[in-house]
Amino acid sequence: EALERYREQQADVVIMDIIMPGQDGVEAIHALRGEFPEAKIIAVSGGSPNIPGERLLKTASQLGADRAFAKPMEIDLLLQTIRELTSKS
């Protein structure tokens, strides 16, 4: 659904959780990056009972997330990162 919406109207920044129902964020980042290589992507995760958040965030970064943050994250850091990513456009 996120990819369909991005096709309709591209956002300045996509903030994507890694653990989501349906398609997980890692798959979604891979699909988004494949179709829109210029997309600005921030991945977030608190992990899961079976997979540590650090591993999920490392995978997200390897697949093309511009930044990856563990939850909970500081809002000031998130806002600063959004400003940095959008100023590069």
Side-chain angles (χ1 to χ4, degrees):
E1 184 179 335
L3 188 56
E4 288 296 323
R5 291 192 187 246
Y6 195 84
R7 285 183 187 123
E8 293 169 9
Q9 182 172 344
Q10 295 180 9
D12 293 333
V13 177
V14 175
I15 301 172
M16 186 162 322
D17 200 340
I18 300 300
I19 307 292
M20 300 187 299
Q23 183 180 49
D24 69 44
V26 170
E27 293 174 81
I29 289 168
H30 182 69
L32 184 64
R33 186 58 73 213
E35 195 167 331
F36 300 97
E38 73 288 348
K40 308 289 192 243
I41 304 170
I42 298 173
V44 297
S45 182
S48 75
N50 300 326
I51 305 171
E54 301 89 35
R55 186 183 324 163
L56 293 170
L57 294 171
K58 182 177 179 181
T59 301
S61 293
Q62 291 170 337
L63 288 174
D66 295 288
R67 301 287 193 288
F69 297 113
K71 293 194 290 186
M73 66 190 130
E74 292 188 28
I75 190 70
D76 290 339
L77 179 58
L78 178 61
L79 293 173
Q80 176 185 346
T81 302
I82 291 170
R83 283 190 291 273
E84 288 172 6
L85 291 175
T86 57
S87 71
K88 293 179 183 179
S89 301

